[in-house]
Amino acid sequence: MRSLIDISELSVGEIEALIDKAEAIMESPADYADKCRGRKLATLFFEPSTRTRLSFEAAMYELGGNVLGFSESQSSSAAKGESVADTARTVSCYADIIAMRHPKEGAPLVASVNASVPVINAGDGGHNHPTQTLTDLLTIEREKGRLTDLTVGICGDLKFGRTVHSLISALSRYEGVRFILISPAELKIPGYVRDGVLKKNSVPFEETTDLDGSIASLDVLYMTRVQRERFFNEEDYLRLRDSYILTAAKMGAAKSDMTVMHPLPRVNEIAYEIDSDPRAAYFRQVMYGKFIRMALILKLLEIE
Ligand code: NCD
């Protein structure tokens, strides 16, 4: 039995196999329509979500399986004080696999130690979000045709943005990837990523506050939302939330084939006028998220 808590638990070869499987499913979805017949996925979401939860649920339905779960902690026994460990033990009696999102860093790990079925981390606090990263890798592969030799700009809330931490961890393992990390000084990448991932693996990176000055060099621009729910006070959020807004004028300086990504939800970081630009990949990214989660469910349930 295997869970997915941190993206580094998957080897580069396993990620490649998941991408291949997702592409095979996209080619002929009918071949996969019964693969999970009789199996159940539990989605335990203690934090808001649109894409992650619904894409997991859609993925399981498209595999012929069923779904149960809750979408807010207040409607579960967590509201009565039940521990994550006990919730995980309980849900293991009802479901074959669990996807869990939780505001506390490490909660899905605790669940995985206590569950008797695989647990997928669907986002833990400001820490990690491995299935968004699988989605992002599939998107880059589809849009650029490669995961190597890329200059990747990541812009916005690099401190609290969990998708950023997992994405850097994954892409750092590919040859020729360099990062331009664009954020306000207060929202820089945490030390455990800067030192523990980038420096440790001698991955080239720059930290800057300047989007305009860096956009021309980028192959991929990954925009992120300022993570309001992780701030200690509203004033700081209000001061920082509009630090970067990608507009058509700014896109004028970018490469003609630069890919614009965003894990979504977008608040104000990407002007709506960009949506019709062929370089805007964020809604294609949403679509890829369902297929890579289908591939992941099959892998963790050990279904060929
Ligand atoms: C992200 C998340 O929840 O971390 N959303 C998602 O899963 N696609 C990004 C965000 O909320 O900003």
Side-chain angles (χ1 to χ4, degrees), residues 22 43 49 55 65 123 134 139 152 197 220 252 268 277 294:
T43 51
S49 169
S55 68
L134 291 173
T139 305
V152 179
V197 178
V220 173
N268 214 14
D277 187 313
M294 290 172 79

Side-chain angles (χ1 to χ4, degrees), residues 143-144 215 219 221 246-261 266 270-284:
E143 298 287 320
K144 310 302 296 179
I215 197 165
D219 299 306
L221 173 57
L246 187 64
T247 58
K250 287 197 203 314
M251 285 294 284
K255 290 183 184 172
S256 60
D257 66 346
M258 183 188 77
T259 300
V260 183
M261 296 170 61
R266 145 175 67 183
I270 302 181
Y272 283 86
E273 65 193 15
I274 311 272
D275 296 1
S276 55
D277 187 313
R279 294 171 288 185
Y282 31 93
F283 288 108
R284 294 191 289 279

Side-chain angles (χ1 to χ4, degrees), residues 48 51-52 101 129 132 162-163 225 227 229 262-265:
R51 275 148 294 270
T52 304
R101 167 170 291 186
H129 194 345
Q132 181 63 46
R162 56 194 172 196
T163 69
R225 163 182 80 89
Q227 305 279 301
E229 63 275 40
H262 192 307
L264 303 178

